[in-house]
Amino acid sequence: MPPMIFVVLLWRGLTTGVKRPCGLIALRHVCCTKSIQTTCQVLDALAIAGQDRCMLIYKILRAEEWAELRQKGETQGAPIDIADGYVHFSTAEQAAETAAKYFANIDELILAAYEADGLDKLVWEPSRGGALFPHLYAPLRLDQLRWHSSLPFVDGAHRFPPEINWADTFVDPDRLQFETFKALPRDTEINMLNLVRLRAVAQYPDGHPSDGLSGVEAYANYGRETAPILARVGGDILWRGGFETALIGPATEVWDAVFIARYPSANAFLDMVTDADYQRAVVHRQAAVETSRLLRCAPSTNGKAFG
């Protein structure tokens, strides 16, 4: 059995004026396979190319369809699914519109979450408004269910669970975050913890020659084009791992890439991101990434105890 790495993220409260019961605000316990490659220069693009994606997609079920799924272990879905020959799914961004369009005023619904890559006969096809929707050309199975939640109809709209967060689209730092980063010491080594979730289909600007690539392909382009710049500023990849599951934390926080980039100083990182070649290449990252976390850390000594 391969060794495992657990990346533990603990948040402390900032001075926001909001009273909290204790200093520990949140915890993420992310399980990854061990994969330490200190000499690799291509960020995480090559690592993710062969690993499973963990994107969650959603099926809205009526009470009778949910009962059938639980009793029989599978279902062909709603009458529209049977008529079309596939089970209709939605992404997190599409789910609210799907509920409003096809389930208006219907209560006692169930929202079922599935991992896209766990469904062998899943096909992404143009549908409403030309957007790509996930369609499953196979029965919906109970043993592949990641999680489920009730979907009550309250005050004229369906109330989705907090696990679905449409505002979770963190791709670039905002001005305040960037200024805070620059205000910290610039002449000491830093480690940047990257958590990255990719789009199924990259979203390039209109007319871009790479339009039509998958998120994985676009991010691989980003990795290849920025690798020489990373090396030029003296950076490398300290550690990378393949995401498997979150033991503690929201079920929707799943990642296509988890890695730590090491820089000899914050100035080196700033030199990289302001490099003209990097700024041309970053369009691939912006097109590929659905959401991400980028955490600056100061290196510390290892040990044999937590904390």
Side-chain angles (χ1 to χ4, degrees):
M1 179 178 178
M4 310 298 292
I5 294 291
F6 284 87
V7 179
V8 182
L9 310 178
L10 299 95
W11 278 284
R12 291 176 300 169
L14 299 177
T15 307
T16 60
V18 178
K19 294 183 178 180
R20 301 187 185 275
C22 64
L24 180 62
I25 300 304
L27 170 68
R28 300 293 181 267
H29 210 165
V30 181
C31 178
C32 303
T33 53
K34 184 178 181 182
S35 175
I36 299 176
Q37 302 178 9
T38 58
T39 60
C40 182
Q41 301 292 324
V42 191
L43 297 180
D44 65 321
L46 298 180
I48 63 175
Q51 75 183 43
D52 289 341
R53 286 176 52 77
C54 297
M55 178 183 182
L56 292 180
I57 56 176
Y58 302 92
K59 177 62 180 172
I60 299 174
L61 298 168
R62 295 176 177 84
E64 57 269 27
E65 296 147 12
W66 174 241
E68 181 183 27
L69 179 64
R70 295 184 63 189
Q71 293 168 7
K72 298 182 178 179
E74 66 178 41
T75 179
Q76 299 290 338
I80 190 174
D81 298 321
I82 297 171
D84 289 344
Y86 53 80
V87 176
H88 293 260
F89 275 90
S90 299
T91 65
E93 294 79 11
Q94 297 163 344
E97 186 179 355
T98 296
K101 185 176 179 66
Y102 296 104
F103 300 91
N105 301 314
I106 301 178
D107 204 357
E108 298 184 357
L109 297 173
I110 294 293
L111 183 71
Y114 285 78
E115 286 189 5
D117 256 21
L119 305 174
D120 292 336
K121 295 184 178 181
L122 188 74
V123 180
W124 292 81
E125 296 177 310
S127 186
R128 192 166 63 235
L132 291 176
F133 279 73
H135 296 155
L136 178 63
Y137 286 83
L140 191 67
R141 288 169 41 189
L142 183 63
D143 62 0
Q144 294 175 320
L145 179 67
R146 178 68 179 270
W147 57 263
H148 71 278
S149 174
S150 61
L151 195 61
F153 189 76
V154 180
D155 296 329
H158 291 98
R159 183 171 294 173
F160 280 79
E163 286 82 1
I164 292 188
N165 182 4
W166 296 278
D168 186 3
T169 53
F170 300 103
V171 178
D172 294 309
D174 62 32
R175 182 177 296 276
L176 177 60
Q177 289 174 319
F178 198 55
E179 292 301 323
T180 301
F181 178 94
K182 292 191 296 182
L184 294 173
R186 297 196 189 185
D187 57 354
T188 56
E189 179 182 333
I190 61 170
N191 295 164
M192 300 294 288
L193 173 60
N194 290 253
L195 307 177
V196 182
R197 183 162 72 240
L198 300 174
R199 304 177 190 273
V201 179
Q203 295 184 7
Y204 282 96
D206 291 343
H208 193 279
S210 296
D211 192 30
L213 296 182
S214 68
V216 170
E217 292 168 331
Y219 204 70
N221 284 346
Y222 166 70
R224 283 191 292 268
E225 293 184 20
T226 58
I229 309 166
L230 176 65
R232 188 160 66 239
V233 302
D236 62 7
I237 302 303
L238 177 65
W239 174 88
R240 71 157 46 82
F243 176 87
E244 293 187 340
T245 190
L247 183 60
I248 301 174
T252 51
E253 286 204 348
V254 294
W255 307 106
D256 295 304
V258 181
F259 68 96
I260 299 173
R262 174 172 54 190
Y263 299 88
S265 66
N267 276 330
F269 175 85
L270 293 170
D271 288 344
M272 181 187 75
V273 299
T274 56
D275 182 276
D277 290 335
Y278 180 90
Q279 291 185 352
R280 282 189 289 270
V282 78
V283 66
H284 298 300
R285 184 185 187 279
Q286 292 166 336
V289 173
E290 179 178 85
T291 193
S292 62
R293 307 289 185 267
L294 183 58
L295 310 181
R296 172 175 167 165
C297 305
S300 185
T301 57
N302 293 328
K304 296 184 178 180
F306 297 118

